[in-house]
Amino acid sequence: MKPTRTLAAALAEGTVVLDGGLSNQLAAQGCDLSDALWSARLLVEGPEQIEAAHLAYVRAGARVLITSSYQATYEGFAWRGVSPDTASALLVRSVELARRAGEAERDEVWVAASVGPYGAMLADGSEYRGRYGLSVRELERFHRPRIETLASAGPDALALETVPDTDEAEALLRAAAGCGVPVWLSYSIEGERTRAGQPLADAFALASGDDQVIAVGINCCEPGDTDGAVEPAASVTGKPVVVYPNSGERWDAGTRSWRGDATFDPSRVRSWQAAGARLVGGCCRVGPERIAELSALTGADGAR
C-alpha cells in the first residue's frame, strides 16, 4: 500500500528492506537487455515486465522499490529518437510502475526514483571509474532535468546511487536541492575509497548537515567492501546508513557479462545493522530469493 509515514520516519523506527537488482530479475523473466538503455528500454517496450519485477521483490519482502530510471536519461532516449516530452513521460512511468506494484501489498511500500550517475548513460562501464572530465557545474546541468521530472512524479525519495566520485555527488546534491523530495546518497566503492579513489570519510562528509539527505551509504560494490564502510558513513554524517551491494560477481563492460562467483551473504546484515545501517538490500545480481532471506533475518516488515 501507499505509505502513511515518510521513509525517514520509518528509518527512525527500525530497519527497512530494499529490493534487489532489477536487471537480473527482468532477465529471469526472459527480457532482452542487450541495449545501451539496459532496463530502461522496457519502459518503452515492456512496462508490464518492469511492474512484474517490482512485484516479485514486494512478495519477497522488499518495502522500498527502486525505479527503472537508473539508465533513463534525456540524452540516452534522444539517441534512440525519443522526444523530450516522451522521455519525460517515460521517467514518470518508472515511478508509476513501482507505485502500482507496491500498492498490491498490505504493508507500506516506499518508492525511490533511481538517479544513476552520468557514466550509466554512456553504457561503457565508466560509472565504475568516475572522473569523466566534466566539471561539477556540467554534471549538475546534466542531472537536474531528470531529477526535476522524477520528483514531479511523487516518489517517496530519490536514490542518488552508484555515485563513483565526490564531484558527481556534489553535483547530484546541488541538482536535487529544493526539488521537494528527500534523497539518499549512495557511493559505489572499492575497498575503503570511492571508485575514483577518494577516502570514504571525505565522500560521506558531503551529506553531513544536509537535511534533504535521509540516508547515506554504499551500493553496487562487492559484499566484502561493505564491512569497512558502514561505520564511517554513520559516524561522519550521523544519518541512517543505506547498504545494498552486488552479488560479488564483476561486470565486464567489454563483453557486457558478469564474471566470478556470487559472495552475497544475507547474514552480513547483522553487522550492517550494528554499525548503523537501516536501509538494506541488494544491487546487481541479487534476486528475490536473497531479499527474502535478508527480510527474514532482519525481522523487518516495513519497519519494526
Side-chain angles (χ1 to χ4, degrees):
M1 70 178 187
K2 193 168 183 178
T4 59
R5 298 171 294 169
T6 65
L7 181 55
L11 295 177
E13 295 177 21
T15 303
V16 181
V17 176
L18 280 164
D19 57 10
L22 184 61
S23 61
N24 48 270
Q25 179 56 27
L26 289 168
Q29 293 171 195
C31 300
D32 178 9
L33 302 179
S34 57
D35 188 281
L37 284 175
W38 204 27
S39 56
R41 166 184 177 178
L42 295 174
L43 286 169
V44 180
E45 299 177 2
E48 72 284 351
Q49 293 283 3
I50 293 174
E51 186 175 349
H54 287 317
L55 190 56
Y57 282 113
V58 171
R59 289 170 174 164
R63 295 297 173 261
V64 177
L65 298 175
I66 301 175
T67 66
S68 52
S69 52
Y70 173 82
Q71 207 150 347
T73 64
Y74 284 98
E75 291 80 359
F77 281 132
W79 292 340
R80 293 288 298 273
V82 176
S83 71
D85 285 348
T86 301
S88 293
L90 293 172
L91 287 165
V92 169
R93 178 181 289 174
S94 73
V95 176
E96 293 172 344
L97 291 169
R99 184 71 76 193
R100 197 154 59 220
E103 287 176 350
E105 171 61 35
R106 64 178 177 82
D107 296 310
E108 292 175 289
V109 177
W110 292 267
V111 172
S114 175
V115 182
Y118 176 85
M121 179 215 27
L122 302 177
D124 62 358
S126 60
E127 72 262 44
Y128 296 116
R129 299 189 297 272
R131 298 304 191 189
Y132 317 110
L134 300 176
S135 68
V136 171
R137 181 171 295 181
E138 287 170 321
L139 288 168
E140 179 186 353
R141 191 179 305 124
F142 167 80
H143 285 296
R144 186 181 297 279
R146 177 171 52 151
I147 284 175
E148 289 177 346
T149 299
L150 288 169
S152 74
D156 301 295
L158 296 175
L160 312 179
E161 59 176 353
T162 321
V163 181
D165 64 56
T166 54
D167 282 354
E168 188 151 32
E170 183 179 351
L172 283 162
L173 291 172
R174 284 187 187 180
C179 74
V181 178
V183 308
W184 79 64
L185 175 64
S186 181
Y187 289 95
S188 178
I189 68 170
E190 189 163 15
E192 298 180 353
R193 294 179 175 269
T194 67
R195 293 283 187 171
Q198 298 112 344
L200 290 184
D202 294 346
F204 295 140
L206 286 176
S208 182
D210 188 332
D211 292 339
Q212 190 174 4
V213 180
I214 59 171
V216 64
I218 53 172
N219 79 290
C220 210
C221 60
E222 290 195 17
D225 286 342
T226 63
D227 295 341
V230 179
E231 191 280 329
S235 63
V236 168
T237 67
K239 297 179 182 289
V241 178
V242 55
V243 185
Y244 51 119
N246 291 338
S247 68
E249 298 158 276
R250 283 184 171 269
W251 175 248
D252 185 326
T255 62
R256 295 187 64 80
S257 62
W258 291 92
R259 300 183 180 276
D261 298 322
T263 58
F264 184 91
D265 181 0
S267 67
R268 260 197 174 97
V269 73
R270 301 293 193 200
S271 63
W272 298 346
Q273 288 175 302
R278 292 295 176 268
L279 191 54
V280 298
C283 202
C284 300
R285 307 281 287 180
V286 178
E289 183 178 339
R290 288 286 182 255
I291 296 303
E293 293 176 35
L294 193 68
S295 181
L297 283 166
T298 61
D301 187 9
R304 289 183 179 172

